[in-house]
Amino acid sequence: MYPLCCISLESSAIGGDSPEPMTALSRSCSAADMRSDGNAVGWPSSGSDSGSGSSSFAGVLYKWTNYGKGWRSRWFVLLNGVVSYSKILRPENLTSGDDVRFIGDVSSGRLKRLNSCGTRRNKPKKSVGVVHLKISSFRESRSDSRRFYIFTATKTLHLRTSLKEERVAWIEALASARNLFSLRRINDKSPIIHSDISLSTERLKQRLLDEGTDEVLIKDCEQIMLSEFSEIQGQVRLLFEERSNLLDTLRQLEAANIENEASGVPEGEYQLTQHEFSNIQHAKYSEWSTTESSDDVEKQELEDASEDEEAYFFDTKDHFPGVVNKSDVMDEINTKKLPFERRKKLPDPIEKEKGVSLWSMIKDNVGKDLTRVCLPVYFNEPISSLQKCFEELEYSYLLDRAYQHGKEGNSLQRLLNVAAFAVSGYASSEGRHCKPFNPLLGETYEADYPEKGVRFFSEKVSHHPTLIACHCEGKGWKFWGDSNIRTKFWGRSIQLDPVGVLTLEFDDGEIFQWSKVTTSIYNLILGKVYCDHHGMMHIHGNRQLSCKLRFKEQSILERNPHQVHGFVEDQNGKKHATLFGKWDDSMYYINGEGISKTKDMVDENLLWKRTLPPVNLTRYNLTSFAITLNELTPGLKEKLPPTDSRLRPDQRHLENGEYDMANVEKQRLETRQRMSRKLQENGWKPRWFEKHSENDTYKYKGGYWEKRDEQNWEDCRNIFGEFSEDIVNKSAVGT
C-alpha cells in the first residue's frame, strides 16, 4: 500500500502536558523581519497562510547518529516536498529575499556555536541526506514531546527539536508539503464515483398520476425501472472497486519508482551530483530498514541506526561503470539443459509459525544436561550442513574459468579466479540467522547439477569431533576437503574457528590449498544478530604463484564493512596483482601492486559479483541457489540412498511449514544422534570417504555414483527410521 502520511497526536504528552496548538510556524522572513540576534519573530495568526506548500522551511534539528556520537545538530530544509539536511551552516542560496520560513532559533551566534563543535574545518558543505515526502510518512513520538520520526522505504530519521513548539511547527510544515503531490491531484481531477447510488421515482409517479395514468400501470413501470437500475447499480459498484484497485496499484508503482527519479530536488545547494547520490546509496541506505510505527521499537531503531553522514570511502561499484558483470555471463562449459525447471521458492507453510523466546528456553533448562536439550526447529533453516557445503560452490563457474585460463597459459588469471571463488563462498551467509541441521552420523547428500557442469557428494564421517567430508567434480577440476569447527563463547558473541584444509586440483596437475577464516556471530542475547568473517586466508599453490587475502574484522565504528583485500605474489615476494572487494558483494583486481582506493586506476576488472536475492524472500533469507538444494526433483527420490539429507523427516516438515511435526521428529532424531559416539567406539567407519593417517584429509574413495546407477543401496542403513541401542551394540565396521 502507498505509505500515507500518518501523524499521531495524543491528548497528553510526557508528564501529562497537553500538546501545544499547531501555530508555532514562523511567517515568511526577510532581513527586516529578523531581530539583531537572528531569531525568527512573529507567529502567524489563524488567518495566515502558514499552511501554504509553496514556501520553504528551514531550521536546526538534532538527528540521532549512534551510541558513540549520540544526537548531532543538522541544518534541515523543506523545499518542494523534499527534505534535505546537511552539516550545520545555513546554505548561502537562502537569501533574505527568498520565501523562507525559519523554525526555531537560527541566530548567527547559535549557528556559529553549532558549527564549531559539529563539523570539521575546510570540509565541503553539501547536502548529505535527501528524503522525498512523496513516498514517506512521519509521526510524533509518544514518549518525548520534542521528538518525531520520518519514515521511508529504506531508512528512518530520528529527529529532535529544542522545544516542543518547534516540533509542532515542523509537523505542520511536513503536513502542508505532503498534501501537494500528484497522487492527490489525480484524486481531485478524477470524476467522483459513489458506489452508493439511489433512485427516486416519486416525481415521475406524480407526473403520470396528473396525466390520468392508471395506478396499476404506474406500478408496473416503476418495477421495470427499479429492476433496470439495480443492474446499473451493480455495474457502478464494480467500476468503483476497479478504480480503487487501480489507484492502489498506481500508488505502489509510484512508491517503487520515485526514489530513482531526480526530479523534485531543487538546484544549487540541494542538487546532488550522481557521484554523491551513489555514495549515499551504497554507504547509507543499504544499512537501514523500514521501521514499524510503534514506540515499542524505538530502542531497537536507535541500536540499528548508525552515523552515516561522515562516511567517505571508495566503493568499487562507483568507479567501474563500464565493467561487464562476468557473473551474469556464465561460461557454457559442460552444461546440459534440464528436462524440468528448478523451483524458485519454498513451499507455502501449512501452519502458522510460533515465535520462541530464547530467554524462556534457557530459564526452563537451568540445571539440566544441555547436551540433552533439543532446540526447537525455530532456530533452524530447512537445509543441513552437508547441503551448506555445496552452497559454497554456487559460483563454480569461477573454477571453470580458472581452468580455461590455465589451459591458455595465463596462471595469474587462474589464481585470481580461484581467489574470487574462495571469497564467494561467504556471500550467502549475509542475513542468515538460522543454523543448518546438524547431520546424523553417516548422513549423505548428493547434488547433480548438469546445468552447472558439477557433481557433488558429502558425508558426515565423524560425530566426535564433528567432521563433514565433501568431494566435487567439474570441468577440468576436482575439489575436496573436510571441515571441523572449534567454538569459543564470549558472552554476547560466539567465535567459530574452522579446522581443515580445502584442496582444488586441476587436470593439468596444478593444486591450490587453503583454510577458511574465522567467523564470529554477535548480539546473541541483545540486539540484532549478525555475523562477520575475519582473518587471513593464504591460498598456497604448487607452482610459482600464491595468494594472501585479509578479511577485515568489522569494528563498532566501521562505515564500510565486509572488506577483503589481498595480493598475488610469486616465490620471490613480487606482487603481480592486487585484489579488493567485499565478501558479500563482489571482488575486483588491478595488475601489479596498487591501492584500491585510488580513483584513477587502470586495468580494473571485475572477477565476481553476487547474484541478486530471490523475489520470494522468507525469514531464512535463502539464496535462489539454496532454495533448490533440498528439492526433490522429478524421479530423484527413487534414486537416492536412505541416508540422503532430502529424506530427513524433521527437515522436510520444517520446509513444508509443519512445525509441530518437525519438532517431534527432531527430538526423535536427536535421541538417535546421542548414540553416535557409542556407534563410533564400536568400530563404525565412513562408507564413502577414507583417510590414511590421523592428520590426513578425508578423501572420496569412489563407488557412490556407480551404486546409484545400479540402484543398489543394500549396505546403506535407513538412519532416519526407528533406532534402538541393540542395533548400536551389534554394529560392526561399515554401515
Side-chain angles (χ1 to χ4, degrees), residues 492-493 520-524 528-532 534 553:
R492 293 188 301 174
S493 64
S520 295
I521 304 174
Y522 300 95
N523 295 338
L524 295 177
K528 185 177 180 180
V529 178
Y530 70 95
C531 75
D532 187 35
H534 52 90
E553 185 172 6

Side-chain angles (χ1 to χ4, degrees), residues 109-334:
R110 186 191 185 204
L111 292 181
K112 184 176 181 181
R113 225 173 25 252
L114 294 173
N115 282 332
S116 64
C117 61
T119 62
R120 300 175 184 175
R121 293 183 177 180
N122 301 325
K123 203 168 188 179
K125 309 301 185 294
K126 62 179 181 180
S127 296
V128 293
V130 175
V131 174
H132 293 260
L133 290 181
K134 194 172 187 179
I135 58 163
S136 304
S137 61
F138 49 89
R139 70 169 178 85
E140 298 171 327
S141 171
R142 299 187 182 96
S143 59
D144 190 331
S145 61
R146 295 180 300 161
R147 281 170 56 184
F148 65 98
Y149 313 99
I150 299 179
F151 303 95
T152 74
T154 53
K155 65 179 178 180
T156 300
L157 294 182
H158 302 258
L159 305 175
R160 192 186 70 188
T161 59
S162 298
L163 302 172
K164 59 183 180 181
E165 292 86 354
E166 294 178 15
R167 185 183 78 167
V168 174
W170 275 109
I171 291 294
E172 187 181 66
L174 292 171
S176 64
R178 184 64 181 79
N179 293 329
L180 295 176
F181 293 115
S182 58
L183 198 57
R184 174 68 177 269
R185 291 196 295 269
I186 290 175
N187 290 336
D188 293 340
K189 293 180 181 180
S190 301
I192 299 176
I193 302 176
H194 298 285
S195 59
D196 217 352
I197 301 177
S198 60
L199 177 68
S200 175
T201 60
E202 291 301 322
R203 292 177 58 192
L204 181 60
K205 287 169 60 178
Q206 187 60 43
R207 180 78 174 88
L208 293 174
L209 287 172
D210 293 344
E211 294 293 330
T213 308
D214 185 61
E215 291 187 8
V216 176
L217 181 60
I218 293 175
K219 288 183 179 180
D220 290 342
C221 293
E222 182 182 18
Q223 291 299 323
I224 294 173
M225 179 179 290
L226 291 176
S227 175
E228 292 292 332
F229 175 75
S230 177
E231 294 183 8
I232 296 175
Q233 190 178 35
Q235 296 175 7
V236 170
R237 286 199 185 99
L238 182 61
L239 288 173
F240 182 82
E241 292 176 1
E242 290 179 351
R243 176 180 178 272
S244 299
N245 294 334
L246 178 60
L247 287 176
D248 289 342
T249 304
L250 287 174
R251 293 186 183 105
Q252 294 170 7
L253 291 175
E254 192 170 31
N257 291 311
I258 185 59
E259 293 215 4
N260 293 326
E261 298 176 1
S263 60
V265 181
E267 297 179 357
E269 177 66 18
Y270 312 110
Q271 182 66 48
L272 293 180
T273 63
Q274 183 179 3
H275 176 67
E276 289 168 353
F277 181 77
S278 180
N279 278 344
I280 291 174
Q281 261 192 326
H282 298 300
K284 178 173 65 177
Y285 289 2
S286 60
E287 299 177 7
W288 294 81
S289 59
T290 304
T291 310
E292 297 178 1
S293 298
S294 171
D295 282 309
D296 296 337
V297 296
E298 287 178 9
K299 182 178 179 181
Q300 182 62 39
E301 291 171 353
L302 293 179
E303 290 176 352
D304 294 342
S306 62
E307 172 61 40
D308 43 79
E309 300 167 359
E310 297 179 358
Y312 297 98
F313 58 86
F314 171 78
D315 195 312
T316 52
K317 298 178 185 176
D318 302 334
H319 296 275
F320 296 130
V323 175
V324 178
N325 188 350
K326 296 182 180 178
S327 62
D328 295 336
V329 188
M330 298 281 287
D331 294 344
E332 297 182 1
I333 302 174
N334 194 30

Side-chain angles (χ1 to χ4, degrees), residues 414-692:
R414 167 175 281 189
L415 182 50
L416 287 172
N417 279 273
V418 171
F421 169 78
V423 174
S424 69
Y426 295 96
S428 62
S429 62
E430 176 65 11
R432 299 276 285 276
H433 302 144
C434 297
K435 62 183 290 290
F437 280 86
N438 183 22
L440 304 183
L441 185 64
E443 185 174 336
T444 63
Y445 175 72
E446 69 158 63
D448 188 6
Y449 278 62
E451 71 272 28
K452 297 174 70 70
V454 297
R455 287 204 309 183
F456 172 89
F457 181 74
S458 59
E459 180 184 12
K460 183 171 181 178
V461 296
S462 174
H463 185 64
H464 288 285
T466 300
L467 277 177
I468 293 174
C470 67
H471 179 88
C472 185
E473 297 179 2
K475 174 62 177 178
W477 54 267
K478 294 179 181 179
F479 175 81
W480 71 87
D482 57 30
S483 62
N484 183 21
I485 294 178
R486 294 175 182 169
T487 60
K488 297 178 183 178
F489 184 68
W490 301 106
R492 293 188 301 174
S493 64
I494 187 171
Q495 179 176 317
L496 310 175
D497 295 313
V499 179
V501 177
L502 303 177
T503 303
L504 172 66
E505 181 180 3
F506 292 99
D507 285 356
D508 56 13
E510 188 167 14
I511 299 175
F512 295 99
Q513 290 184 319
W514 66 92
S515 296
K516 306 191 74 173
V517 298
T518 298
T519 297
S520 295
I521 304 174
Y522 300 95
N523 295 338
L524 295 177
I525 305 300
L526 292 174
K528 185 177 180 180
V529 178
Y530 70 95
C531 75
D532 187 35
H533 309 288
H534 52 90
M536 288 294 299
M537 176 184 288
H538 194 171
I539 304 176
H540 302 272
N542 64 342
R543 294 183 180 172
Q544 296 294 321
L545 300 178
S546 63
C547 180
K548 292 181 180 178
L549 295 171
R550 177 177 175 264
F551 288 67
K552 184 179 179 182
E553 185 172 6
Q554 183 175 344
S555 64
I556 298 177
L557 302 178
E558 182 62 59
R559 298 291 174 259
N560 194 19
H562 308 163
Q563 289 291 309
V564 181
H565 185 275
F567 50 83
V568 176
E569 63 179 2
D570 57 24
Q571 295 176 345
N572 298 323
K574 179 182 177 181
K575 293 180 175 60
H576 292 262
T578 303
L579 298 98
F580 52 94
K582 297 182 179 182
W583 53 258
D584 65 331
D585 183 74
S586 56
M587 286 297 294
Y588 295 82
Y589 81 97
I590 56 175
N591 290 318
E593 185 176 3
I595 300 176
S596 62
K597 293 187 179 182
T598 305
K599 295 183 179 180
D600 53 350
M601 291 185 300
V602 295
D603 297 331
E604 63 269 13
N605 251 322
L606 173 66
L607 290 169
W608 158 77
K609 185 168 183 61
R610 181 185 180 184
T611 56
L612 294 176
V615 178
N616 304 294
L617 276 176
T618 65
R619 75 174 183 90
Y620 307 115
N621 284 329
L622 297 180
T623 64
S624 300
F625 181 63
I627 288 174
T628 68
L629 299 182
N630 200 49
E631 180 184 13
L632 283 169
T633 55
L636 178 61
K637 186 175 182 180
E638 295 75 17
K639 300 178 182 179
L640 295 175
T643 56
D644 195 276
S645 295
R646 294 180 182 89
L647 306 180
R648 179 167 175 160
D650 53 350
Q651 185 174 307
R652 183 60 60 183
H653 284 309
L654 176 62
E655 181 184 282
N656 293 333
E658 301 168 306
Y659 306 110
D660 292 337
M661 285 296 299
N663 279 311
V664 171
E665 287 293 333
K666 188 173 188 291
Q667 191 167 7
R668 180 180 68 84
L669 293 178
E670 287 283 352
T671 304
R672 182 250 182 264
Q673 182 83 301
R674 297 186 190 103
M675 303 177 187
S676 298
R677 181 191 292 272
K678 192 171 183 180
L679 194 65
Q680 280 186 255
E681 293 173 353
N682 289 347
W684 183 90
K685 297 292 182 184
R687 176 66 180 84
W688 308 106
F689 289 84
E690 63 182 358
K691 64 177 182 179
H692 301 292

